[in-house]
Amino acid sequence: MTGVQLRNLGIRYGQVEVLKGIDLDIPPSEFIVLLGPSGCGKSTLLNAIAGLQDVAEGQILIGGHDMTNVEPKNRGIAMVFQSYALYPRMSVRGNLSFGLKVAGTAKPEIEKRVANAARMLQIEPLLDRKPSELSGGQRQRVAIGRAVVRDAGVFLFDEPLSNLDAQLRSDLRVEIKRLHQRLKSTMIYVTHDQIEAMTLADRIVVMKDRIIQQQGTPDEIYNKPANTFVARFVGSPAMNFLDAAVEGGDAIVDGKTVHIASALSSQAPLADGRNVIVGIRPEDVVLHTDEAASGLAVEIDVVEPMGAEKLVWCKRGSIGISTKIPASVSIKPGDKAWLGLSEQCLHIFDADSGKRM
Ligand SMILES: Nc1ncnc2c1ncn2[C@@H]1O[C@H](COP(=O)(O)OP(=O)(O)O)[C@@H](O)[C@H]1O
Ligand SMILES: [Mg+2]
């Protein structure tokens, strides 16, 4: 079992600093997901771990050894790309065995590993086909199989599901999770899709603006986002943000008092006049159709049925708030409603720095 450590890693393209001060300790067998918007440097970081990208400063350790300047093929890793990168003229079997042949692996061993990977990924019936005779999902299975046969300690995945349609994406997502449960290899998986990150990861690393914004379990990232960026990036629809000013330890949202004391990590009350952002997830907003004195009065703007539940977009002047409610509640645009913002469900952020308070 192989762990990976990144120490103060910095990467530049010419004069442009793409990543800086990246410190990451990935224990053996962990499934870690690097999550961030397009262009934040996820592929760059993954390529650096693979040895396909030069680093300007810092160190990459794989299995405890300094691999910063080691050839990609000697790093003991296997990589799966978004574009499947299969050899078009070779059969699936040829694609799966090629790397092993080049490495001089004995034929019976190659056959055993190919058969094993094909069974695991349910591509046995496809072994004699060419990539052009496969669907996108099948091609990506083959690409994953090619990584599996290498028996590597560390797997790197760069947005492997991005080119697939929604159904295939969720099928293959489960497949990758099952693969990790079986192989117990260290897996480093890059995506901009927060649902993939939440569903696959033991631990999520959220990246933006050249740095790591937060690392933690999916539960920590979702329930204790470190700042407004993480809070909005993870969760769909996004967390609601309400501008507020502090008065007597409470937040005043558009003239309405909202208790926040128990949502703060510090015991000390906030100073009067301080500007904060009150965050609440749509599923935590309680919608009352009868007047509730404690609730925030709103008007229903748009109702989106989603099967088991409804997504309801409410407005109060220029403020918009979304809420998820059971499908059985009958409500229509133009209706009045009162929103309960329960104190223990709130996330309070500093309005200037965006940091969780
Ligand atoms: N070869 C390159 N030369 C110069 N800039 C690059 C190169 N590759 C990527 N970049 C820039 O580096 C940043 C990070 O890119 P990338 O790692 O591909 O992001 P991500 O995978 O998160 O979408 C982007 O701003 C991108 O434009
Ligand atoms: Mg990328």
Side-chain angles (χ1 to χ4, degrees):
M1 294 295 135
T2 315
V4 176
Q5 278 101 34
L6 309 180
R7 296 209 181 127
N8 192 33
L9 211 61
I11 298 178
R12 292 191 198 99
Y13 287 118
Q15 299 293 78
V16 184
E17 192 175 45
V18 181
L19 292 168
K20 72 166 185 182
I22 301 289
D23 279 310
L24 207 52
D25 196 345
I26 306 168
S29 296
E30 185 170 60
F31 197 129
I32 192 157
V33 175
L34 309 178
L35 173 69
S38 180
C40 75
K42 304 180 298 293
S43 295
T44 302
L45 185 54
L46 208 63
N47 288 337
I49 298 170
L52 305 170
Q53 166 73 51
D54 287 338
V55 306
E57 60 188 18
Q59 257 187 331
I60 299 167
L61 286 83
I62 302 175
H65 302 289
D66 186 349
M67 295 277 183
T68 320
N69 298 307
V70 171
E71 287 284 304
K73 65 174 168 33
N74 298 327
R75 292 192 182 200
I77 49 141
M79 188 148 174
V80 180
F81 299 92
Q82 176 178 350
S83 63
Y84 322 116
L86 300 176
Y87 302 110
R89 286 183 221 289
M90 289 183 198
S91 65
V92 168
R93 191 189 308 278
N95 269 281
L96 292 177
S97 43
F98 183 70
L100 296 175
K101 261 187 209 157
V102 170
T105 310
K107 206 163 171 220
E109 176 66 18
I110 295 181
E111 279 168 11
K112 196 179 96 193
R113 289 205 211 167
V114 168
N116 207 2
R119 185 164 6 91
M120 233 184 256
L121 290 155
Q122 297 159 48
I123 49 175
E124 289 162 302
L126 311 176
L127 281 170
D128 295 314
R129 290 201 203 167
K130 294 273 170 59
S132 60
E133 298 164 315
L134 304 176
S135 69
Q138 291 170 333
R139 283 179 209 179
Q140 195 54 295
R141 278 172 198 266
V142 176
I144 294 170
R146 204 171 42 178
V148 169
V149 295
R150 298 201 40 202
D151 206 11
V154 182
F155 281 70
L156 308 180
F157 293 92
D158 192 353
E159 312 231 16
L161 309 183
S162 295
N163 290 350
L164 305 175
D165 65 42
Q167 182 63 48
L168 270 176
R169 216 159 47 221
S170 67
D171 289 352
L172 210 47
R173 201 173 69 207
V174 176
E175 210 68 59
I176 290 174
K177 188 145 186 164
R178 191 176 290 130
L179 196 67
H180 179 249
Q181 287 170 4
R182 274 206 209 165
L183 299 177
K184 301 193 168 56
S185 314
T186 308
M187 295 194 172
I188 309 178
Y189 186 106
V190 157
T191 182
H192 65 275
D193 182 327
Q194 52 99 16
I195 296 181
E196 271 175 36
M198 290 294 289
T199 50
L200 286 171
D202 293 323
R203 201 154 54 101
I204 299 176
V205 175
V206 185
M207 297 169 56
K208 182 186 165 253
D209 293 343
R210 300 177 295 163
I211 58 168
I212 293 174
Q213 300 284 327
Q214 184 175 5
Q215 37 179 310
T217 61
D219 182 63
E220 285 162 352
I221 297 282
Y222 194 76
N223 293 311
K224 294 253 183 284
N227 55 43
T228 49
F229 173 75
V230 176
R232 295 273 299 181
F233 198 72
V234 176
S236 173
M239 183 186 287
N240 296 292
F241 282 169
L242 305 167
D243 292 329
V246 175
E247 206 177 287
D250 296 323
I252 310 300
V253 176
D254 193 26
K256 175 88 189 163
T257 299
V258 177
H259 299 304
I260 59 169
S262 67
L264 297 168
S265 55
S266 126
Q267 300 286 322
L270 300 176
D272 275 2
R274 181 146 184 190
N275 291 322
V276 296
I277 294 169
V278 175
I280 185 163
R281 295 210 178 271
E283 65 269 29
D284 291 332
V285 175
V286 181
L287 184 140
H288 303 276
T289 49
D290 297 323
E291 179 157 8
S294 59
L296 190 69
V298 294
E299 186 186 314
I300 305 303
D301 186 14
V302 174
V303 180
E304 292 185 287
M306 300 177 70
E309 48 195 12
K310 280 176 184 162
L311 186 56
V312 180
W313 299 85
C314 311
K315 62 181 180 187
R316 176 182 167 106
S318 60
I319 304 172
I321 305 173
S322 62
T323 161
K324 273 185 198 164
I325 60 171
S328 54
V329 179
S330 96
I331 197 151
K332 61 181 187 308
D335 286 354
K336 281 194 178 358
W338 291 263
L339 303 182
L341 310 176
S342 167
E343 195 173 351
Q344 63 268 24
C345 297
L346 300 180
H347 306 258
I348 312 300
F349 304 98
D350 181 74
D352 296 324
S353 68
K355 290 206 172 103
R356 182 182 195 87
M357 303 175 81

